[in-house]
Amino acid sequence: MTDTWVLLRGLMREQRHWGDFPATLGAALPGATIVTPDLPGNGQRHAMDSATRVCAMVECCRQDLLARGLKPPYRLLALSLGGMVAVEWASRYPHEIASCVLINTSMRPYSPFYRRLRWQNYPALLRQLLLGNQASQEALILRLTSCRHGAGNAALVQQWLKYQQQYPVTRRNALRQLLSAARFRAPASCPPMPMLVLAGGQDRLVDPACSQQLAQAWRTAYANHPEAGHDLPLDQPGWVAQTVKRWIATSS
């Protein structure tokens, strides 16, 4: 039986924001089926109301996969808010999940709010909320999430702007997603399957200590790329894929 890898993105992002990473992961894991569902309110599901509870995001993903004819068990690779979805899924339906890779995620009670969203970013985020437009939004997101491209990759900003123009994430849905993340509280113990936590050492959005603390609390495997930012699959796709490949070989 081939493995089904489900890739889950974060706040206001959609499946196209994975870029070339699904192909890179597929090359490292020959034979794997890789799917990239959109969460409600994002991408092809942009017209839907975003869930205000992470558990509702889980149910949407489960229905999506079953509609595609993909049955569990699944392997989850999840970034940021997607990591919360993965943890909730693994906690509620452990028989459906074979393993989890959590990337630059953060959650209560393991990290305080000012580390889960670095306090240094509050002024820029507030300015964007009050005065910004779609173009400034995408430029800010890239600057905060990527070390490799954040210094001024105008072509990538324009590509992301096209995504937003085609499938706009409304301010209401963005706030609903923020609410779901703020409400989420992780279980006291690690869900009962192999778990790998990855972090970017230069994450400007979320303190990388959040990932390290979660891995320590749950006694999971952990790896940190010292030069990568929040969007680790964007900054270091090959490193992520090869790290996952090695971990799967030793944890299976």
Side-chain angles (χ1 to χ4, degrees):
M1 183 177 67
T2 61
D3 287 338
T4 298
W5 281 86
V6 182
L7 276 52
L8 301 171
R9 290 234 32 135
L11 182 73
M12 298 177 62
R13 303 289 87 180
E14 55 147 287
Q15 57 185 289
R16 289 178 294 183
H17 288 105
W18 287 112
D20 295 332
F21 177 71
T24 302
L25 183 65
L29 303 172
T33 298
I34 298 175
V35 292
T36 55
D38 286 324
L39 296 177
N42 300 331
Q44 294 179 351
R45 297 176 179 270
H46 73 283
M48 298 174 61
D49 283 341
S50 290
T52 57
R53 297 280 184 183
V54 169
C55 57
M57 297 180 184
V58 171
E59 298 307 326
C60 182
C61 289
R62 296 176 72 233
Q63 293 169 14
D64 184 346
L65 294 175
L66 291 176
R68 299 178 193 224
L70 298 171
K71 297 180 180 180
Y74 311 116
R75 295 188 185 274
L76 306 181
L77 184 146
L79 171 64
S80 199
L81 171 61
M84 301 180 199
V85 178
V87 167
E88 181 72 5
W89 195 343
S91 300
R92 284 178 173 257
Y93 306 103
H95 60 285
E96 294 185 0
I97 307 302
S99 64
C100 289
V101 180
L102 308 179
I103 302 174
N104 284 326
T105 193
S106 63
M107 52 195 76
R108 294 185 300 157
Y110 302 105
S111 301
F113 71 91
Y114 55 86
R115 287 185 178 168
R116 295 178 61 203
L117 180 60
R118 284 183 181 270
W119 63 268
Q120 295 92 336
N121 296 322
Y122 294 174
L125 293 170
L126 182 60
R127 282 195 302 272
Q128 175 60 39
L129 184 64
L130 296 176
L131 304 172
N133 54 32
Q134 288 182 338
S136 63
Q137 169 186 293
E138 296 307 312
L140 176 62
I141 291 174
L142 183 60
R143 178 168 65 83
L144 293 180
T145 59
S146 175
C147 286
R148 187 174 183 179
H149 303 280
N153 188 330
L156 189 55
V157 171
Q158 286 302 308
Q159 188 176 56
W160 286 6
L161 179 58
K162 289 179 181 178
Y163 298 164
Q164 172 67 5
Q165 290 169 340
Q166 183 182 10
Y167 294 145
V169 180
T170 65
R171 182 170 298 183
R172 178 174 180 269
N173 271 341
L175 291 173
R176 288 171 70 91
Q177 292 172 39
L178 277 170
L179 176 60
S180 69
R183 281 177 165 176
F184 182 72
R185 187 177 182 87
S189 58
C190 182
M193 70 281 301
M195 192 165 296
L196 169 65
V197 176
L198 300 179
Q202 300 300 316
D203 190 339
R204 300 187 186 105
L205 188 67
V206 175
D207 191 327
C210 296
S211 290
Q212 186 174 18
Q213 289 165 355
L214 180 66
Q216 289 174 344
W218 284 356
R219 299 180 181 179
T220 71
Y222 170 79
N224 178 300
H225 193 293
E227 299 174 359
H230 185 71
D231 197 336
L232 190 50
L234 173 64
D235 279 0
Q236 297 292 336
W239 180 86
V240 174
Q242 291 302 315
T243 301
V244 170
K245 178 181 180 178
R246 290 192 296 270
W247 173 70
I248 286 293
T250 59
S251 65
S252 300

